[in-house]
Amino acid sequence: MRFLTDGDVGELVKPREVVEAVEEAYRLYSTGRVVMPVRSRVEAREKGGDILMMPCYIPDMNIFSLKLVTVYPGNLQRGLPTINAVVIVLDAETGVAKLVAEARALTGLRTAAATAVSVKYLARRDSEIVGIVGCGYQAVWQTRVLADMLKGVKFLAYDIDGERMKAFVKQVAGEGIDIQAAGSAEDLVRKSDIVVTVTTSKTPVIFDSWVRDGTHISAIGGYTPEMVEIDPRLTARAKLVVDSREAVKEEAGDILQPIKMGLMTFNHIHAEIGEVVAGLKPGRENDREITLFKSVGLAVQDAAASKILLEKTL
C-alpha cells in the first residue's frame, strides 16, 4: 500500500486531468451510476470544527474511496490549516486498501475542478475577468485551475482580511497568473464576468444589486445550512444549478435560506451539473442569464481524482 503526501499529489496530477475526471463523475452521478451515501458530518461544537466522512463507489471507474476531512476555522489563529484531509482508496475488485493520501491538495484540485466544469457549461464564452472572494488555501487552487483552463483571463481577489489578501495575490502572481487585489467585494463583483466564492461566511458576501447580467457565480465555500455566501434574492432569480439535489437539501444554506424566506422552492433548481454534462438539461442559453452553481462538495469528486492517483502509482 502506498502513502502520498500533498506534495506528491500536486506533482502527480495535472489540473486538466482532474477537471475531465470530475466532469465524467458528475455525469455518472446524475445518471444513477454511482453509489454515494450522503456525507456524514460530526460537529465538534466545543472545538468549533466539523469532521466529515465521504465514501463513494463508482463501478464504471472501478474505484472506491473514503475521505475524512476536517474544517476548523479557528485553526487560522493557531497557525494551522483550516482544512485537513486524508483519503483511503480501495481496490474495488478485492476490497484491499491500495493507497492512502493526504487530501488537502486533492480536495483543492477536485473542488476547483467543480468550478471549472460549471464555467465550461454555464459561463459566457467571452468571459475575461474572474473574481475570487475569499483568499484562503482553496482559493489558490481555484485560481490555478481556472488559469490553466481559461487562457488569458485576468483575476481579481478580495478578502476581509487585508493581509491574507495581499499574501494570496503575491503568491498567485508569483506563479505567473495575472491577478490584482480588489478594493472591495462590491468592486470585484461589478467588474467580474465569473465570480467564485470561497468562504465559510454565515452572511452574504455577494449581493443581488452588484451582479451584472451575464455573470456566472460558483458558490463553493458554504457546506452547512448555516453558511450563506450569496444574497438570497440573487439565488432566487439566478438560473440555479447544483452538484446534487439530495445533498443541497441537507447542507446548502445558500438554498435553504431563500426557501425559508419564501423567495423560492426547491423546484427553482434548474438542474444538477451532471444533467447538464449529460445533455439532459441545457446550460447557459443566452448571454444575459445570471447563472449560479451551488456546490457543497461530493465524494464522487474525490473518487474520480483518486482514480487518477491510483493509476499513476500502480
Side-chain angles (χ1 to χ4, degrees), residues 262-296:
L263 297 174
M264 65 182 224
T265 68
F266 281 115
N267 290 332
H268 180 64
I269 297 174
H270 168 68
E272 291 181 343
I273 190 66
E275 293 175 312
V276 177
V277 173
L280 302 175
K281 294 286 184 68
R284 174 172 288 274
E285 296 179 86
N286 60 66
D287 287 344
R288 300 182 308 278
E289 285 183 312
I290 294 173
T291 53
L292 171 59
F293 174 59
K294 177 55 199 171
S295 169
V296 293

PDB file of all heavy atoms in Angstrom, residues 262-296:
ATOM      1  N   GLY A 262     -39.242  32.289   1.784  1.00  0.00           N
ATOM      2  CA  GLY A 262     -40.370  32.305   0.858  1.00  0.00           C
ATOM      3  C   GLY A 262     -40.051  32.894  -0.503  1.00  0.00           C
ATOM      4  O   GLY A 262     -40.953  33.217  -1.280  1.00  0.00           O
ATOM      5  N   LEU A 263     -38.743  33.004  -0.821  1.00  0.00           N
ATOM      6  CA  LEU A 263     -38.347  33.592  -2.097  1.00  0.00           C
ATOM      7  C   LEU A 263     -38.359  32.586  -3.243  1.00  0.00           C
ATOM      8  O   LEU A 263     -38.390  32.971  -4.412  1.00  0.00           O
ATOM      9  CB  LEU A 263     -36.942  34.199  -1.970  1.00  0.00           C
ATOM     10  CG  LEU A 263     -36.791  35.349  -0.968  1.00  0.00           C
ATOM     11  CD1 LEU A 263     -35.326  35.752  -0.841  1.00  0.00           C
ATOM     12  CD2 LEU A 263     -37.637  36.539  -1.415  1.00  0.00           C
ATOM     13  N   MET A 264     -38.317  31.294  -2.911  1.00  0.00           N
ATOM     14  CA  MET A 264     -38.301  30.260  -3.937  1.00  0.00           C
ATOM     15  C   MET A 264     -38.620  28.915  -3.290  1.00  0.00           C
ATOM     16  O   MET A 264     -38.768  28.824  -2.062  1.00  0.00           O
ATOM     17  CB  MET A 264     -36.938  30.203  -4.642  1.00  0.00           C
ATOM     18  CG  MET A 264     -35.791  29.781  -3.725  1.00  0.00           C
ATOM     19  SD  MET A 264     -34.184  29.769  -4.551  1.00  0.00           S
ATOM     20  CE  MET A 264     -33.505  28.214  -3.929  1.00  0.00           C
ATOM     21  N   THR A 265     -38.725  27.868  -4.110  1.00  0.00           N
ATOM     22  CA  THR A 265     -38.888  26.500  -3.630  1.00  0.00           C
ATOM     23  C   THR A 265     -37.765  25.653  -4.231  1.00  0.00           C
ATOM     24  O   THR A 265     -36.978  26.136  -5.061  1.00  0.00           O
ATOM     25  CB  THR A 265     -40.242  25.909  -4.052  1.00  0.00           C
ATOM     26  OG1 THR A 265     -40.243  25.725  -5.492  1.00  0.00           O
ATOM     27  CG2 THR A 265     -41.396  26.833  -3.654  1.00  0.00           C
ATOM     28  N   PHE A 266     -37.697  24.394  -3.847  1.00  0.00           N
ATOM     29  CA  PHE A 266     -36.683  23.511  -4.426  1.00  0.00           C
ATOM     30  C   PHE A 266     -36.875  23.349  -5.934  1.00  0.00           C
ATOM     31  O   PHE A 266     -35.934  23.007  -6.656  1.00  0.00           O
ATOM     32  CB  PHE A 266     -36.706  22.142  -3.743  1.00  0.00           C
ATOM     33  CG  PHE A 266     -36.010  22.117  -2.412  1.00  0.00           C
ATOM     34  CD1 PHE A 266     -36.714  21.873  -1.245  1.00  0.00           C
ATOM     35  CD2 PHE A 266     -34.640  22.353  -2.319  1.00  0.00           C
ATOM     36  CE1 PHE A 266     -36.075  21.859  -0.018  1.00  0.00           C
ATOM     37  CE2 PHE A 266     -33.986  22.336  -1.093  1.00  0.00           C
ATOM     38  CZ  PHE A 266     -34.706  22.095   0.059  1.00  0.00           C
ATOM     39  N   ASN A 267     -38.075  23.596  -6.419  1.00  0.00           N
ATOM     40  CA  ASN A 267     -38.331  23.492  -7.856  1.00  0.00           C
ATOM     41  C   ASN A 267     -37.575  24.551  -8.656  1.00  0.00           C
ATOM     42  O   ASN A 267     -37.495  24.461  -9.889  1.00  0.00           O
ATOM     43  CB  ASN A 267     -39.832  23.614  -8.136  1.00  0.00           C
ATOM     44  CG  ASN A 267     -40.605  22.398  -7.651  1.00  0.00           C
ATOM     45  OD1 ASN A 267     -40.061  21.295  -7.589  1.00  0.00           O
ATOM     46  ND2 ASN A 267     -41.863  22.582  -7.296  1.00  0.00           N
ATOM     47  N   HIS A 268     -37.043  25.551  -7.957  1.00  0.00           N
ATOM     48  CA  HIS A 268     -36.264  26.583  -8.646  1.00  0.00           C
ATOM     49  C   HIS A 268     -34.937  26.028  -9.150  1.00  0.00           C
ATOM     50  O   HIS A 268     -34.319  26.621 -10.046  1.00  0.00           O
ATOM     51  CB  HIS A 268     -36.012  27.753  -7.688  1.00  0.00           C
ATOM     52  CG  HIS A 268     -35.213  28.867  -8.305  1.00  0.00           C
ATOM     53  ND1 HIS A 268     -35.661  29.612  -9.376  1.00  0.00           N
ATOM     54  CD2 HIS A 268     -33.975  29.364  -8.008  1.00  0.00           C
ATOM     55  CE1 HIS A 268     -34.755  30.517  -9.708  1.00  0.00           C
ATOM     56  NE2 HIS A 268     -33.712  30.383  -8.893  1.00  0.00           N
ATOM     57  N   ILE A 269     -34.494  24.906  -8.617  1.00  0.00           N
ATOM     58  CA  ILE A 269     -33.252  24.285  -9.096  1.00  0.00           C
ATOM     59  C   ILE A 269     -33.449  23.849 -10.542  1.00  0.00           C
ATOM     60  O   ILE A 269     -34.294  23.020 -10.852  1.00  0.00           O
ATOM     61  CB  ILE A 269     -32.851  23.084  -8.222  1.00  0.00           C
ATOM     62  CG1 ILE A 269     -32.548  23.542  -6.789  1.00  0.00           C
ATOM     63  CG2 ILE A 269     -31.640  22.366  -8.823  1.00  0.00           C
ATOM     64  CD1 ILE A 269     -32.295  22.405  -5.822  1.00  0.00           C
ATOM     65  N   HIS A 270     -32.658  24.418 -11.424  1.00  0.00           N
ATOM     66  CA  HIS A 270     -32.781  24.119 -12.851  1.00  0.00           C
ATOM     67  C   HIS A 270     -32.279  22.722 -13.180  1.00  0.00           C
ATOM     68  O   HIS A 270     -32.900  21.984 -13.956  1.00  0.00           O
ATOM     69  CB  HIS A 270     -31.997  25.158 -13.659  1.00  0.00           C
ATOM     70  CG  HIS A 270     -31.799  24.816 -15.093  1.00  0.00           C
ATOM     71  ND1 HIS A 270     -32.836  24.784 -16.000  1.00  0.00           N
ATOM     72  CD2 HIS A 270     -30.664  24.468 -15.788  1.00  0.00           C
ATOM     73  CE1 HIS A 270     -32.360  24.444 -17.194  1.00  0.00           C
ATOM     74  NE2 HIS A 270     -31.056  24.243 -17.090  1.00  0.00           N
ATOM     75  N   ALA A 271     -31.143  22.352 -12.579  1.00  0.00           N
ATOM     76  CA  ALA A 271     -30.531  21.062 -12.928  1.00  0.00           C
ATOM     77  C   ALA A 271     -29.393  20.748 -11.979  1.00  0.00           C
ATOM     78  O   ALA A 271     -28.888  21.618 -11.270  1.00  0.00           O
ATOM     79  CB  ALA A 271     -30.000  21.095 -14.360  1.00  0.00           C
ATOM     80  N   GLU A 272     -28.993  19.490 -11.971  1.00  0.00           N
ATOM     81  CA  GLU A 272     -27.691  19.106 -11.440  1.00  0.00           C
ATOM     82  C   GLU A 272     -26.685  19.321 -12.551  1.00  0.00           C
ATOM     83  O   GLU A 272     -26.999  19.157 -13.747  1.00  0.00           O
ATOM     84  CB  GLU A 272     -27.675  17.646 -10.999  1.00  0.00           C
ATOM     85  CG  GLU A 272     -28.525  17.365  -9.766  1.00  0.00           C
ATOM     86  CD  GLU A 272     -28.493  15.909  -9.324  1.00  0.00           C
ATOM     87  OE1 GLU A 272     -28.086  15.043 -10.136  1.00  0.00           O
ATOM     88  OE2 GLU A 272     -28.875  15.656  -8.167  1.00  0.00           O
ATOM     89  N   ILE A 273     -25.443  19.643 -12.189  1.00  0.00           N
ATOM     90  CA  ILE A 273     -24.425  19.883 -13.202  1.00  0.00           C
ATOM     91  C   ILE A 273     -24.198  18.625 -14.055  1.00  0.00           C
ATOM     92  O   ILE A 273     -23.925  18.716 -15.264  1.00  0.00           O
ATOM     93  CB  ILE A 273     -23.104  20.377 -12.569  1.00  0.00           C
ATOM     94  CG1 ILE A 273     -22.131  20.866 -13.644  1.00  0.00           C
ATOM     95  CG2 ILE A 273     -22.477  19.307 -11.686  1.00  0.00           C
ATOM     96  CD1 ILE A 273     -22.579  22.096 -14.385  1.00  0.00           C
ATOM     97  N   GLY A 274     -24.361  17.448 -13.443  1.00  0.00           N
ATOM     98  CA  GLY A 274     -24.213  16.204 -14.200  1.00  0.00           C
ATOM     99  C   GLY A 274     -25.282  16.036 -15.263  1.00  0.00           C
ATOM    100  O   GLY A 274     -25.040  15.432 -16.316  1.00  0.00           O
ATOM    101  N   GLU A 275     -26.481  16.567 -15.018  1.00  0.00           N
ATOM    102  CA  GLU A 275     -27.541  16.529 -16.026  1.00  0.00           C
ATOM    103  C   GLU A 275     -27.192  17.430 -17.201  1.00  0.00           C
ATOM    104  O   GLU A 275     -27.508  17.114 -18.363  1.00  0.00           O
ATOM    105  CB  GLU A 275     -28.862  16.971 -15.408  1.00  0.00           C
ATOM    106  CG  GLU A 275     -29.410  16.017 -14.361  1.00  0.00           C
ATOM    107  CD  GLU A 275     -30.665  16.549 -13.687  1.00  0.00           C
ATOM    108  OE1 GLU A 275     -30.663  17.729 -13.255  1.00  0.00           O
ATOM    109  OE2 GLU A 275     -31.647  15.791 -13.586  1.00  0.00           O
ATOM    110  N   VAL A 276     -26.548  18.547 -16.910  1.00  0.00           N
ATOM    111  CA  VAL A 276     -26.110  19.445 -17.978  1.00  0.00           C
ATOM    112  C   VAL A 276     -24.995  18.789 -18.786  1.00  0.00           C
ATOM    113  O   VAL A 276     -25.005  18.801 -20.016  1.00  0.00           O
ATOM    114  CB  VAL A 276     -25.644  20.798 -17.395  1.00  0.00           C
ATOM    115  CG1 VAL A 276     -25.129  21.708 -18.510  1.00  0.00           C
ATOM    116  CG2 VAL A 276     -26.781  21.479 -16.632  1.00  0.00           C
ATOM    117  N   VAL A 277     -24.039  18.188 -18.097  1.00  0.00           N
ATOM    118  CA  VAL A 277     -22.951  17.487 -18.780  1.00  0.00           C
ATOM    119  C   VAL A 277     -23.495  16.373 -19.681  1.00  0.00           C
ATOM    120  O   VAL A 277     -23.025  16.184 -20.813  1.00  0.00           O
ATOM    121  CB  VAL A 277     -21.960  16.900 -17.754  1.00  0.00           C
ATOM    122  CG1 VAL A 277     -20.918  16.013 -18.449  1.00  0.00           C
ATOM    123  CG2 VAL A 277     -21.273  18.012 -16.969  1.00  0.00           C
ATOM    124  N   ALA A 278     -24.490  15.652 -19.185  1.00  0.00           N
ATOM    125  CA  ALA A 278     -25.067  14.525 -19.938  1.00  0.00           C
ATOM    126  C   ALA A 278     -25.986  14.978 -21.070  1.00  0.00           C
ATOM    127  O   ALA A 278     -26.442  14.148 -21.852  1.00  0.00           O
ATOM    128  CB  ALA A 278     -25.839  13.615 -18.985  1.00  0.00           C
ATOM    129  N   GLY A 279     -26.267  16.279 -21.163  1.00  0.00           N
ATOM    130  CA  GLY A 279     -27.154  16.781 -22.212  1.00  0.00           C
ATOM    131  C   GLY A 279     -28.629  16.636 -21.892  1.00  0.00           C
ATOM    132  O   GLY A 279     -29.470  16.827 -22.764  1.00  0.00           O
ATOM    133  N   LEU A 280     -28.938  16.313 -20.632  1.00  0.00           N
ATOM    134  CA  LEU A 280     -30.331  16.137 -20.236  1.00  0.00           C
ATOM    135  C   LEU A 280     -31.014  17.478 -19.940  1.00  0.00           C
ATOM    136  O   LEU A 280     -32.235  17.584 -20.009  1.00  0.00           O
ATOM    137  CB  LEU A 280     -30.417  15.237 -18.999  1.00  0.00           C
ATOM    138  CG  LEU A 280     -29.804  13.841 -19.146  1.00  0.00           C
ATOM    139  CD1 LEU A 280     -29.853  13.094 -17.820  1.00  0.00           C
ATOM    140  CD2 LEU A 280     -30.547  13.059 -20.235  1.00  0.00           C
ATOM    141  N   LYS A 281     -30.231  18.464 -19.561  1.00  0.00           N
ATOM    142  CA  LYS A 281     -30.738  19.813 -19.301  1.00  0.00           C
ATOM    143  C   LYS A 281     -29.792  20.818 -19.953  1.00  0.00           C
ATOM    144  O   LYS A 281     -28.582  20.564 -20.033  1.00  0.00           O
ATOM    145  CB  LYS A 281     -30.812  20.090 -17.786  1.00  0.00           C
ATOM    146  CG  LYS A 281     -31.813  19.243 -17.012  1.00  0.00           C
ATOM    147  CD  LYS A 281     -33.243  19.694 -17.285  1.00  0.00           C
ATOM    148  CE  LYS A 281     -34.257  18.919 -16.458  1.00  0.00           C
ATOM    149  NZ  LYS A 281     -34.171  19.202 -15.017  1.00  0.00           N
ATOM    150  N   PRO A 282     -30.308  21.960 -20.408  1.00  0.00           N
ATOM    151  CA  PRO A 282     -29.417  22.956 -21.020  1.00  0.00           C
ATOM    152  C   PRO A 282     -28.593  23.695 -19.976  1.00  0.00           C
ATOM    153  O   PRO A 282     -28.999  23.841 -18.818  1.00  0.00           O
ATOM    154  CB  PRO A 282     -30.394  23.910 -21.717  1.00  0.00           C
ATOM    155  CG  PRO A 282     -31.663  23.799 -20.919  1.00  0.00           C
ATOM    156  CD  PRO A 282     -31.728  22.360 -20.471  1.00  0.00           C
ATOM    157  N   GLY A 283     -27.433  24.155 -20.383  1.00  0.00           N
ATOM    158  CA  GLY A 283     -26.625  25.016 -19.531  1.00  0.00           C
ATOM    159  C   GLY A 283     -26.999  26.462 -19.802  1.00  0.00           C
ATOM    160  O   GLY A 283     -28.174  26.815 -19.814  1.00  0.00           O
ATOM    161  N   ARG A 284     -25.995  27.309 -20.032  1.00  0.00           N
ATOM    162  CA  ARG A 284     -26.287  28.702 -20.377  1.00  0.00           C
ATOM    163  C   ARG A 284     -26.974  28.748 -21.731  1.00  0.00           C
ATOM    164  O   ARG A 284     -26.536  28.110 -22.691  1.00  0.00           O
ATOM    165  CB  ARG A 284     -24.997  29.530 -20.403  1.00  0.00           C
ATOM    166  CG  ARG A 284     -25.209  30.966 -20.899  1.00  0.00           C
ATOM    167  CD  ARG A 284     -23.973  31.821 -20.742  1.00  0.00           C
ATOM    168  NE  ARG A 284     -23.723  32.137 -19.342  1.00  0.00           N
ATOM    169  CZ  ARG A 284     -24.278  33.163 -18.697  1.00  0.00           C
ATOM    170  NH1 ARG A 284     -25.151  33.946 -19.315  1.00  0.00           N
ATOM    171  NH2 ARG A 284     -23.986  33.388 -17.431  1.00  0.00           N
ATOM    172  N   GLU A 285     -28.055  29.533 -21.823  1.00  0.00           N
ATOM    173  CA  GLU A 285     -28.822  29.616 -23.065  1.00  0.00           C
ATOM    174  C   GLU A 285     -28.720  30.965 -23.752  1.00  0.00           C
ATOM    175  O   GLU A 285     -29.093  31.099 -24.920  1.00  0.00           O
ATOM    176  CB  GLU A 285     -30.286  29.289 -22.779  1.00  0.00           C
ATOM    177  CG  GLU A 285     -30.474  27.849 -22.297  1.00  0.00           C
ATOM    178  CD  GLU A 285     -31.910  27.504 -21.979  1.00  0.00           C
ATOM    179  OE1 GLU A 285     -32.640  27.113 -22.915  1.00  0.00           O
ATOM    180  OE2 GLU A 285     -32.302  27.631 -20.799  1.00  0.00           O
ATOM    181  N   ASN A 286     -28.229  31.995 -23.049  1.00  0.00           N
ATOM    182  CA  ASN A 286     -28.002  33.287 -23.693  1.00  0.00           C
ATOM    183  C   ASN A 286     -27.002  34.082 -22.850  1.00  0.00           C
ATOM    184  O   ASN A 286     -26.653  33.693 -21.741  1.00  0.00           O
ATOM    185  CB  ASN A 286     -29.306  34.066 -23.883  1.00  0.00           C
ATOM    186  CG  ASN A 286     -30.012  34.363 -22.567  1.00  0.00           C
ATOM    187  OD1 ASN A 286     -29.508  35.107 -21.742  1.00  0.00           O
ATOM    188  ND2 ASN A 286     -31.197  33.761 -22.372  1.00  0.00           N
ATOM    189  N   ASP A 287     -26.542  35.198 -23.380  1.00  0.00           N
ATOM    190  CA  ASP A 287     -25.501  35.984 -22.716  1.00  0.00           C
ATOM    191  C   ASP A 287     -26.028  36.892 -21.621  1.00  0.00           C
ATOM    192  O   ASP A 287     -25.250  37.582 -20.960  1.00  0.00           O
ATOM    193  CB  ASP A 287     -24.747  36.825 -23.745  1.00  0.00           C
ATOM    194  CG  ASP A 287     -23.816  35.990 -24.608  1.00  0.00           C
ATOM    195  OD1 ASP A 287     -23.535  34.834 -24.222  1.00  0.00           O
ATOM    196  OD2 ASP A 287     -23.379  36.481 -25.658  1.00  0.00           O
ATOM    197  N   ARG A 288     -27.344  36.918 -21.415  1.00  0.00           N
ATOM    198  CA  ARG A 288     -27.922  37.784 -20.382  1.00  0.00           C
ATOM    199  C   ARG A 288     -28.182  37.043 -19.080  1.00  0.00           C
ATOM    200  O   ARG A 288     -28.321  37.660 -18.018  1.00  0.00           O
ATOM    201  CB  ARG A 288     -29.239  38.399 -20.874  1.00  0.00           C
ATOM    202  CG  ARG A 288     -29.082  39.256 -22.119  1.00  0.00           C
ATOM    203  CD  ARG A 288     -30.409  39.869 -22.528  1.00  0.00           C
ATOM    204  NE  ARG A 288     -31.468  38.870 -22.634  1.00  0.00           N
ATOM    205  CZ  ARG A 288     -31.663  38.093 -23.693  1.00  0.00           C
ATOM    206  NH1 ARG A 288     -30.842  38.191 -24.744  1.00  0.00           N
ATOM    207  NH2 ARG A 288     -32.656  37.220 -23.730  1.00  0.00           N
ATOM    208  N   GLU A 289     -28.268  35.743 -19.125  1.00  0.00           N
ATOM    209  CA  GLU A 289     -28.587  34.959 -17.938  1.00  0.00           C
ATOM    210  C   GLU A 289     -27.557  35.141 -16.833  1.00  0.00           C
ATOM    211  O   GLU A 289     -26.351  35.185 -17.095  1.00  0.00           O
ATOM    212  CB  GLU A 289     -28.632  33.461 -18.271  1.00  0.00           C
ATOM    213  CG  GLU A 289     -29.855  33.008 -19.019  1.00  0.00           C
ATOM    214  CD  GLU A 289     -29.818  31.502 -19.237  1.00  0.00           C
ATOM    215  OE1 GLU A 289     -28.770  30.988 -19.674  1.00  0.00           O
ATOM    216  OE2 GLU A 289     -30.832  30.842 -18.969  1.00  0.00           O
ATOM    217  N   ILE A 290     -28.053  35.227 -15.609  1.00  0.00           N
ATOM    218  CA  ILE A 290     -27.187  35.108 -14.439  1.00  0.00           C
ATOM    219  C   ILE A 290     -27.260  33.657 -14.000  1.00  0.00           C
ATOM    220  O   ILE A 290     -28.345  33.147 -13.687  1.00  0.00           O
ATOM    221  CB  ILE A 290     -27.640  36.033 -13.302  1.00  0.00           C
ATOM    222  CG1 ILE A 290     -27.472  37.496 -13.718  1.00  0.00           C
ATOM    223  CG2 ILE A 290     -26.853  35.748 -12.024  1.00  0.00           C
ATOM    224  CD1 ILE A 290     -28.056  38.480 -12.733  1.00  0.00           C
ATOM    225  N   THR A 291     -26.135  32.974 -14.015  1.00  0.00           N
ATOM    226  CA  THR A 291     -26.098  31.558 -13.652  1.00  0.00           C
ATOM    227  C   THR A 291     -25.379  31.384 -12.325  1.00  0.00           C
ATOM    228  O   THR A 291     -24.384  32.062 -12.048  1.00  0.00           O
ATOM    229  CB  THR A 291     -25.404  30.717 -14.740  1.00  0.00           C
ATOM    230  OG1 THR A 291     -24.113  31.280 -15.018  1.00  0.00           O
ATOM    231  CG2 THR A 291     -26.232  30.711 -16.031  1.00  0.00           C
ATOM    232  N   LEU A 292     -25.902  30.468 -11.521  1.00  0.00           N
ATOM    233  CA  LEU A 292     -25.330  30.204 -10.193  1.00  0.00           C
ATOM    234  C   LEU A 292     -25.151  28.706 -10.016  1.00  0.00           C
ATOM    235  O   LEU A 292     -26.111  27.937 -10.113  1.00  0.00           O
ATOM    236  CB  LEU A 292     -26.261  30.749  -9.111  1.00  0.00           C
ATOM    237  CG  LEU A 292     -25.924  30.378  -7.651  1.00  0.00           C
ATOM    238  CD1 LEU A 292     -24.540  30.861  -7.260  1.00  0.00           C
ATOM    239  CD2 LEU A 292     -26.985  30.938  -6.700  1.00  0.00           C
ATOM    240  N   PHE A 293     -23.908  28.305  -9.777  1.00  0.00           N
ATOM    241  CA  PHE A 293     -23.601  26.911  -9.462  1.00  0.00           C
ATOM    242  C   PHE A 293     -23.354  26.806  -7.973  1.00  0.00           C
ATOM    243  O   PHE A 293     -22.433  27.440  -7.440  1.00  0.00           O
ATOM    244  CB  PHE A 293     -22.368  26.453 -10.235  1.00  0.00           C
ATOM    245  CG  PHE A 293     -21.885  25.068  -9.863  1.00  0.00           C
ATOM    246  CD1 PHE A 293     -22.717  23.964  -9.996  1.00  0.00           C
ATOM    247  CD2 PHE A 293     -20.592  24.871  -9.380  1.00  0.00           C
ATOM    248  CE1 PHE A 293     -22.270  22.688  -9.659  1.00  0.00           C
ATOM    249  CE2 PHE A 293     -20.142  23.607  -9.047  1.00  0.00           C
ATOM    250  CZ  PHE A 293     -20.989  22.506  -9.184  1.00  0.00           C
ATOM    251  N   LYS A 294     -24.187  26.036  -7.294  1.00  0.00           N
ATOM    252  CA  LYS A 294     -24.021  25.825  -5.859  1.00  0.00           C
ATOM    253  C   LYS A 294     -23.523  24.411  -5.608  1.00  0.00           C
ATOM    254  O   LYS A 294     -24.202  23.435  -5.928  1.00  0.00           O
ATOM    255  CB  LYS A 294     -25.343  26.071  -5.116  1.00  0.00           C
ATOM    256  CG  LYS A 294     -25.255  25.794  -3.608  1.00  0.00           C
ATOM    257  CD  LYS A 294     -24.140  26.587  -2.961  1.00  0.00           C
ATOM    258  CE  LYS A 294     -23.716  26.012  -1.607  1.00  0.00           C
ATOM    259  NZ  LYS A 294     -22.505  26.673  -1.094  1.00  0.00           N
ATOM    260  N   SER A 295     -22.336  24.328  -5.040  1.00  0.00           N
ATOM    261  CA  SER A 295     -21.742  23.028  -4.738  1.00  0.00           C
ATOM    262  C   SER A 295     -21.470  22.926  -3.248  1.00  0.00           C
ATOM    263  O   SER A 295     -20.965  23.869  -2.636  1.00  0.00           O
ATOM    264  CB  SER A 295     -20.424  22.871  -5.506  1.00  0.00           C
ATOM    265  OG  SER A 295     -19.709  21.741  -5.058  1.00  0.00           O
ATOM    266  N   VAL A 296     -21.824  21.792  -2.662  1.00  0.00           N
ATOM    267  CA  VAL A 296     -21.454  21.520  -1.273  1.00  0.00           C
ATOM    268  C   VAL A 296     -20.301  20.526  -1.215  1.00  0.00           C
ATOM    269  O   VAL A 296     -19.782  20.228  -0.141  1.00  0.00           O
ATOM    270  CB  VAL A 296     -22.654  20.994  -0.449  1.00  0.00           C
ATOM    271  CG1 VAL A 296     -23.703  22.078  -0.286  1.00  0.00           C
ATOM    272  CG2 VAL A 296     -23.257  19.741  -1.063  1.00  0.00           C
TER     273      VAL A 296
END
